[in-house]
Amino acid sequence: QVQLVESGGGSVQAGGSLRLSCAASGYTARIRSMDWFRQAPGKGREGVAGISTDGMTYYKKSVKGRFTISLDNAKNTLYLEMNNLEPEDTAMYYCAADGGRKSGGVWYFAPSAVTAWGQGTQVTVSS
């Protein structure tokens, strides 16, 4: 079983930056991808950024160029560097294990396949 603990959320003004962290523990050997999802009030949960264990990254279109996902295997820690934040980025951010799938050489978000979720960390961006 895998346990995930996020940290690093907070409140910033538009244009600001935040870095989220997700510490993984437990049986992590079989994880194939690590992902960040988010959920804004009244909306469904959506994939934001993902990284496969062999280093392939994939992003939601609206965050490409602003967000960067990375994985420190030695520390079992996932990061999400968020720059040039917009009010539309306001949401609860969740770390997830195995939230990505590969088809035809392309990775995509698959929230129904997630094997472990973190508790979430709030990101609020004011205009």
Side-chain angles (χ1 to χ4, degrees):
Q1 202 163 359
V2 174
Q3 293 81 42
L4 304 172
V5 179
E6 301 101 332
S7 60
S11 297
V12 296
Q13 289 194 323
S17 299
L18 283 173
R19 188 172 88 149
L20 306 184
S21 299
C22 172
S25 61
Y27 189 62
T28 60
R30 289 194 173 184
I31 292 175
R32 290 171 292 179
S33 76
M34 291 292 295
D35 303 83
W36 289 98
F37 288 80
R38 69 186 182 189
Q39 187 165 18
K43 295 189 177 181
R45 196 168 292 193
E46 62 178 6
V48 177
I51 184 167
S52 67
T53 50
D54 60 358
M56 293 296 294
T57 59
Y58 42 102
Y59 296 90
K60 176 180 171 61
K61 192 175 179 181
S62 64
V63 308
K64 235 177 183 179
R66 300 188 296 121
F67 290 11
T68 303
I69 189 170
S70 59
L71 180 62
D72 186 331
N73 287 308
K75 295 182 179 179
N76 274 351
T77 301
L78 179 72
Y79 301 99
L80 184 66
E81 187 77 35
M82 304 186 294
N83 297 314
N84 195 18
L85 282 159
E86 302 170 353
E88 293 74 23
D89 296 318
T90 295
M92 185 72 79
Y93 283 70
Y94 297 91
C95 174
D98 288 318
R101 281 297 177 266
K102 185 178 177 181
S103 176
V106 178
W107 281 87
Y108 61 94
F109 297 108
S112 60
V114 168
T115 54
W117 291 98
Q119 82 286 356
T121 185
Q122 178 68 37
V123 171
T124 303
V125 185
S126 57
S127 56

